[in-house]
Amino acid sequence: GSRYAIAKITTMGDEDRASARHILLSNQGGKSMDELNARADSLKRVIQRNNNFEEMVTEFSEDPGSIPNGGKYEDFNRDRMVPEFTEAAFDKSIGSLNIVETTYGVHIVEPLEHTKAKVVKGMVVDANIEPSNDTFNAVYDEANEFSLAAKDLTSMEEIANEREYEIKEANEVGPLSRNIPGVAGSQDAV
């Protein structure tokens, strides 16, 4: 069979993007959400007083994916994060410190930047094309009829030209050949 692919642009335009940093206090350690919220509130006050967000990330955050980057997640769209984190990162003012609960625990989220990005989104449909039994049988019948009508080289060339078939020479077929070069499935013909 063959493959068929078609692509279509589905969306063009601007997309909201944000960068934010956060401290995660994970709920995996058995602490209640009330305890985590109280700790987040305390950390928030220290950060506001000392302006030491990155230091607090290193010391307290339990998100291994963002600790090496100072708690930052950069240039993400509204679909990347959990809804509560997204709301804090996109809908709160730059530089504000926001405490939010998610399925991961309690976060202190500071939006760093709101931007727009040009985006083009597309869809690709890619499928195998297999001939139906009717198509296969019709092509087989046509090839069989051609082989019966072409009695010799001259008649074969005449019929092929009438039907606008492509004629190819197979010069590299010898007594020890196992197939005809460039002709798939030709083992039985040799």
Side-chain angles (χ1 to χ4, degrees), residues 63-83:
D63 176 12
S66 69
I67 291 172
N69 198 24
K72 291 180 190 170
Y73 283 111
E74 297 181 296
D75 197 35
F76 55 90
N77 64 21
R78 287 186 176 268
D79 299 328
R80 182 167 165 210
M81 305 294 185
V82 293

Side-chain angles (χ1 to χ4, degrees), residues 136-147 163 165:
F136 180 85
N137 290 336
V139 171
Y140 181 84
D141 290 346
E142 186 179 337
N144 192 41
E145 187 272 320
F146 175 77
S147 71
R163 296 181 182 184
Y165 293 162

Side-chain angles (χ1 to χ4, degrees), residues 118-149:
K118 297 281 184 201
V119 293
V120 176
K121 293 183 181 178
M123 180 187 313
V124 175
V125 176
D126 184 14
N128 280 325
I129 304 287
E130 297 290 335
S132 68
N133 285 339
D134 290 344
T135 301
F136 180 85
N137 290 336
V139 171
Y140 181 84
D141 290 346
E142 186 179 337
N144 192 41
E145 187 272 320
F146 175 77
S147 71
L148 294 173

Side-chain angles (χ1 to χ4, degrees), residues 70-176:
K72 291 180 190 170
Y73 283 111
E74 297 181 296
D75 197 35
F76 55 90
N77 64 21
R78 287 186 176 268
D79 299 328
R80 182 167 165 210
M81 305 294 185
V82 293
E84 302 85 357
F85 190 101
T86 298
E87 182 181 337
F90 281 89
D91 301 334
K92 302 298 182 180
S93 60
I94 301 296
S96 62
L97 296 177
N98 308 279
I99 297 174
V100 296
E101 291 183 16
T102 71
T103 55
Y104 299 102
V106 175
H107 305 254
I108 303 169
V109 180
E110 179 186 8
L112 299 173
E113 182 179 45
H114 297 144
T115 60
K116 296 238 184 241
K118 297 281 184 201
V119 293
V120 176
K121 293 183 181 178
M123 180 187 313
V124 175
V125 176
D126 184 14
N128 280 325
I129 304 287
E130 297 290 335
S132 68
N133 285 339
D134 290 344
T135 301
F136 180 85
N137 290 336
V139 171
Y140 181 84
D141 290 346
E142 186 179 337
N144 192 41
E145 187 272 320
F146 175 77
S147 71
L148 294 173
K151 305 277 186 223
D152 56 30
L153 180 59
T154 303
S155 64
M156 183 181 104
E157 287 177 339
E158 288 173 0
I159 296 169
N161 286 328
E162 285 173 14
R163 296 181 182 184
E164 298 180 357
Y165 293 162
E166 182 180 357
I167 299 173
K168 292 183 179 180
E169 290 188 29
N171 296 327
E172 299 166 17
V173 179
L176 299 177

Side-chain angles (χ1 to χ4, degrees), residues 22-24 52-63 66-71:
H22 80 126
I23 295 170
L24 169 64
N52 61 344
F53 199 104
E54 286 189 35
E55 180 183 318
M56 299 305 266
V57 166
T58 305
E59 192 170 338
F60 295 102
S61 185
E62 297 174 89
D63 176 12
S66 69
I67 291 172
N69 198 24

Side-chain angles (χ1 to χ4, degrees), residues 36-48:
L36 295 175
N37 272 303
R39 186 170 191 199
D41 189 55
S42 175
L43 291 173
K44 177 181 172 181
R45 283 195 303 272
V46 170
I47 293 168
Q48 287 171 324

